[in-house]
Amino acid sequence: MAKTPMMQQYLDAKAACGDALLLFRMGDFYELFYDDAKIAARELGLALTSRDKGENPIPMAGFPYHQLDSYLGKIIGAGRRAAVCEQVEDPRTAKGLVKREVTRVVSPGTLTDDALLDPRESNFLAAVAHAPAKAGDRQGEVGIAWAELSTGRFCAAAFPVHQLADELTRIGPRECLVADDAPPLPERLARSWMITRRPAWAFSHETAKASLTKHFQTAGLEGFGFTDRDTAAVRAAGAVLDYLVESQKSSLDHFDRLTRYHVGRYLEVDEATRRSLEITRTMRDGRRDGSLLAVIDRTTTALGTRLLADWVAAPLTARAEIEDRLNAVEELVAASRPREALRDELKEVHDIERLLARVATGRASPRDLSFIGRTLANLPAIRQTLENCASPRLVRLLADLDPCQDIRQQLDAALVPECPLTLKDGGIIRQGYHPQLDEYRDMAAGGKQWIAEYQAREMERTGIAKLKVGYNQVFGYYLEVSHANQQRVPPEYTRKQTLKNAERYITPELKEYEERVLLADDQAKELEYELFIQLRDAVHAAARRLQKTAAVLAEWDVLAALAHLASHHGYCKPVPVEEPVVNIVDGRHPVLDILEPQGTFVPNDTTCDATSGMILLITGPNMAGKSTYIRQVALLTLMAQIGSFVPARSATIGIADRIFARVGASDELARGQSTFMVEMTETARILHSASPRSLVILDEIGRGTSTYDGLSLAWAIVEHVHDHIGCRTLFATHYHELTDLSTTLSGVTNLNVSVKEWEDHVVFLHKIVPGAADKSYGIHVARLAGIPRAVNERAKQILAQLESEHVDEHGRPKIGAGRSKPRRGDLQLTLFAPMDHPLLDTIRHTDINRLTPLDAIQLIQKWQKELRVD
Ligand SMILES: Nc1ncnc2c1ncn2[C@@H]1O[C@H](COP(=O)(O)OP(=O)(O)OP(=O)(O)O)[C@@H](O)[C@H]1O
Ligand SMILES: [Mg+2]
């Protein structure tokens, strides 16, 4: 087939946009061709037709231009990207083929249109830069950068390689850039987000540094806190910027800084813990509803909603910072009037962060600008509600608020109150704003007025009662006369068109006024467009100030929302302390407390410290509330570190550096790992990475394998945590045998959840009480459930036998053999106790058959040395 110039134009554009579906603007349609058309037919439900019906028809599919947003949504939803190729000349004035250009590439990580974005959620584009592990290097680093085109946020940091999945899960990007030559991301991550491969050079340090400094117009990146040692983070940031520049082809100056994410400033929560504590998504269906975030969210603006999500995803670790937030919340809890007034005012605040981003990228509509104006108009009132606040954070925020009233006045003066969505039909600029515009409008209106009068005049003159003046695109203004009145049409009318029932005519006078009207209309529109661009530029120039204002509004919203929540649900102000303790009185699970009918949740106390035991072992029958209890402690700790009040009567909470939760035996077959393998992998991580400041929640560890294997593992794990980590640990288990650990380990305390038998029912009291659970309870429940009496009796016999074998001749639990409980103040003695010395184990496991006499002598020499050190 001979390619037409237009198809050649199509193919050139297509070649430059990789795997994106090319949406090729042709008149009032966007068309897709070749394979793109087939994909669109299959995945977007478009009708597949063809162009050039001859020998080599070209598959084609398309949709009307005004449905662009909706189809972009579908394309993104189908996990694809789209390149929008527009006509960049006016087809009416173009000579020959209309010039077309790809004006932007839309992918999940680069959305700005409101229709495609969830106002509650951030929409990050991330990049991962692997740093090759050098000899002598600790373990290798990975740089991660993340940016949001719709708001201009841009952060970067480097992390140890093994934290890649945790950090990416915290960020939750929609799209992730990786270098062509980089190792693939773990498969489950690759399935969560669109992975976009980019050329390796985009990740090179030189390119990255050059493009970042060029963009920020700075000499280096030190001003943002990045030195030459931060190559991984800088490379990732460079890759993000490069991709945005390439795909957007518009201004990106709302990205006005690169923020360094300080590892250690935030509570670390790994991927598994985040999932199992259901912090921002539920485990069952991965939705926001039902998560901690959704349940505690009382924000009233999209700005606040997203900031709260940020806070929940990254709680703090510095006491002063936590207290700063808590004090602000406390003040707002007490000051309920100003708080509720503030929340009311905030309802009128639009998502100015995203509106500003559209201003910066040149995509703002007149209505977008008017929304910014309206938001600013509310600022004086909003500000007033907090005028008398005293807590340092609120005072600081008040001082930081730039009301931007100059911008507001400009927008107010220029824009009509109900601004239309598009520029196309004009009507956005107020009467009286610009004299020239008013003049054009008067001229157009005057023409229209004349035409109306002309109709009346002609009616009278010709005696045609039904004479009508109309307008269409092809003939402009015309006079319409029905066939019935044909004989009265005067000779100076020129016939233009014949319809079924009528004829249409023009006259020289009508044409003259038509020209005036159309010209004035065009001039008015053109001028309106210019004025709009001026206005948009003025807002753009103030973007930095407006962004700061948006940040203050977001934080006010979050603090007021936390205070509102606290005062409506009887929360208390937690006391954050540096010591690793938990001391909660009448604590409630934050999610169940709100979702269950009021007053039905049974509050419980928690004491976890060096005196009463750092390890709490919780036993009790199924459905008693073990899992709920241990999660509750983790969630309350997390909430406190966000700066939120907590559902309890009082709470002293030692600030944790990390929270680990290994909860439930979730089936991860989809990940290609068995349940037990996942459980052990996660547990191994905890044992390797927990510090004395960590909080560990373990639920049913070891349940995924045979009883003895599982029990032994669980036992050894608790011993290890006790001896080598010493962190706060809550362990819920069905293995009653584990409760014997408290006889050998000084830091283990047994708790159980009480139940009552009442007539033939079991009543769950959900109350945590000291001591181990009643061991025979399972068999008891089985009888209640209707297991035949004979089976039940036999089970009791077996149980008695097992229990008698469980304890050795000294009355010590057999699993605990090999250890004796260290008495307090007796530590030296127990360290030297022969049963406990680690050397004995080494000797026991030395394979004599493999030793030469010389080896043996050297070994003994080594042991002697070690003993001397002891
Ligand atoms: N303190 C409480 N007050 C009121 N209801 C509670 C409380 N704790 C738990 N529940 C209710 O009991 C149900 C079971 O709780 P949970 O899952 O914690 O039990 P469990 O002891 O872990 O059970 P299993 O041994 O089967 O894992 C919860 O879904 C909740 O509805
Ligand atoms: Mg449970």
Side-chain angles (χ1 to χ4, degrees), residues 708 711 715 736-737 739-741 743-744 775 799-817:
Y708 282 125
L711 178 54
W715 188 286
H736 296 290
E737 293 85 347
T739 58
D740 291 341
L741 275 165
T743 64
T744 59
K775 292 178 188 175
L799 182 72
Q801 198 179 337
L802 285 174
E803 277 177 354
S804 70
E805 285 170 7
H806 194 67
V807 173
D808 68 14
E809 64 273 26
H810 308 296
R812 272 206 314 236
K814 280 190 179 164
I815 303 176

Side-chain angles (χ1 to χ4, degrees), residues 587-589 592 596 600-604 620-632 699-700 703 732-734 753 764-767:
R588 284 134 34 214
H589 188 287
L592 289 181
E596 297 286 310
T600 50
F601 193 86
V602 180
N604 274 305
N622 294 97
M623 286 298 286
K626 302 181 295 296
S627 304
T628 307
Y629 178 70
I630 62 173
R631 280 157 175 257
Q632 171 181 317
D699 199 354
E700 310 283 11
R703 294 269 290 167
T733 183
H734 281 119
V753 201
F764 293 105
L765 299 178
H766 302 306
K767 199 73 196 166

Side-chain angles (χ1 to χ4, degrees), residues 34-47:
Y34 299 104
D35 284 349
D36 282 4
K38 293 183 193 163
I39 293 171
R42 203 167 55 233
E43 296 181 11
L44 313 177
L46 290 176

Side-chain angles (χ1 to χ4, degrees), residues 165-238:
D166 296 340
E167 293 302 327
L168 279 179
T169 318
R170 173 181 57 75
I171 299 161
R174 293 282 305 276
E175 181 177 0
C176 192
L177 311 175
V178 286
D180 263 345
D181 58 355
L185 289 184
E187 204 194 314
R188 64 178 188 288
L189 298 185
R191 259 188 283 117
S192 309
W193 315 302
M194 173 180 268
I195 302 294
T196 302
R197 290 269 170 186
R198 300 285 298 160
W201 58 257
F203 286 80
S204 89
H205 188 229
E206 292 69 42
T207 314
K209 202 171 154 193
S211 61
L212 288 164
T213 48
K214 180 170 166 236
H215 173 83
F216 294 119
Q217 297 177 344
T218 52
L221 298 168
E222 286 74 16
F224 302 115
F226 294 89
T227 67
D228 273 343
R229 281 196 309 279
D230 297 307
T231 49
V234 168
R235 287 169 49 220

Side-chain angles (χ1 to χ4, degrees), residues 390-436:
S391 69
R393 196 174 187 97
L394 290 178
V395 170
R396 221 166 42 237
L397 286 170
L398 198 67
D400 280 353
L401 183 85
D402 178 347
C404 300
Q405 293 303 296
D406 49 330
I407 304 294
R408 177 225 164 166
Q409 274 153 13
Q410 229 172 321
L411 291 172
D412 254 12
L415 296 173
V416 299
E418 294 299 327
C419 220
L421 198 56
T422 62
L423 266 171
K424 204 165 49 58
D425 303 319
I428 58 176
I429 302 289
R430 266 184 207 274
Q431 195 73 21
Y433 177 69
H434 198 277
Q436 182 71 58

Side-chain angles (χ1 to χ4, degrees), residues 321-447:
E321 262 189 287
I322 297 171
E323 280 171 347
D324 196 34
R325 286 188 190 169
L326 283 172
N327 292 338
V329 174
E330 184 179 33
E331 182 173 1
L332 291 171
V333 168
S336 60
R337 275 267 203 84
R339 177 190 75 225
E340 294 308 315
L342 170 66
R343 284 165 47 79
D344 260 355
E345 295 288 348
L346 285 172
K347 284 182 190 139
E348 306 299 320
V349 163
H350 291 275
D351 193 346
I352 47 177
E353 235 181 359
R354 286 193 171 162
L355 293 171
L356 275 173
R358 287 209 290 278
V359 169
T361 52
R363 287 180 202 133
S365 71
R367 191 170 289 174
D368 287 344
L369 286 194
S370 81
F371 281 170
I372 291 178
R374 280 198 212 177
T375 302
L376 296 178
N378 288 313
L379 290 188
I382 293 179
R383 205 184 162 147
Q384 216 168 20
T385 60
L386 291 182
E387 243 169 18
N388 297 321
C389 61
S391 69
R393 196 174 187 97
L394 290 178
V395 170
R396 221 166 42 237
L397 286 170
L398 198 67
D400 280 353
L401 183 85
D402 178 347
C404 300
Q405 293 303 296
D406 49 330
I407 304 294
R408 177 225 164 166
Q409 274 153 13
Q410 229 172 321
L411 291 172
D412 254 12
L415 296 173
V416 299
E418 294 299 327
C419 220
L421 198 56
T422 62
L423 266 171
K424 204 165 49 58
D425 303 319
I428 58 176
I429 302 289
R430 266 184 207 274
Q431 195 73 21
Y433 177 69
H434 198 277
Q436 182 71 58
L437 178 63
D438 291 348
E439 212 176 299
Y440 289 144
R441 281 179 174 164
D442 286 347
M443 258 161 24

Side-chain angles (χ1 to χ4, degrees), residues 500-518:
K500 207 166 126 224
N501 300 319
E503 302 279 350
R504 287 177 176 174
Y505 303 88
I506 55 169
T507 67
E509 287 160 290
L510 194 55
K511 276 291 130 191
E512 191 191 322
Y513 272 88
E514 174 189 303
E515 260 166 41
R516 280 196 207 175
V517 169
L518 293 186

